[in-house]
Amino acid sequence: MNRSSMPVENQGDIELCLFIEPYCEDYWMKPGEALTVRSEAEGIDVWFDTYVSKGCVTVWLYEDGDPHKIVGDYAVLDASGNRLESGHQRPQGQRWSAAGPIID
């Protein structure tokens, strides 16, 4: 895997939210499931900034690690390489705040 992609695996025993900024897109992983965040931009060095909170991993993609150069052209893939849409496996009745999903 090159520097323009980042695997995320849920090794816990509850659902985990992968939250991609700045578009507030959410992808939910069941225990044991793995997803990959991949830049679609060609020829740039993408850095991934991650924040972990209860039940959630938030990811920002930056060109050359510069937080002023947000990479908005990305894809989230499942283990088979299928491109996923935001809301993938979102729990019914999921609540939100300005900062993202509310994990009870």
Side-chain angles (χ1 to χ4, degrees), residues 3-4 13 27 30 41 47 56 64 76 87:
R3 183 128 175 211
S4 292
D13 57 2
Y27 304 83
K30 300 204 180 297
W47 292 33
C56 188
D64 298 322
V76 176

Side-chain angles (χ1 to χ4, degrees), residues 20 37 39 46-48 59-63 69-71 74:
I20 310 293
V37 181
S39 169
V46 178
W47 292 33
F48 298 87
V59 177
W60 289 81
L61 291 79
Y62 298 122
E63 183 178 343
K69 294 181 180 178
I70 296 170
V71 176
Y74 62 85

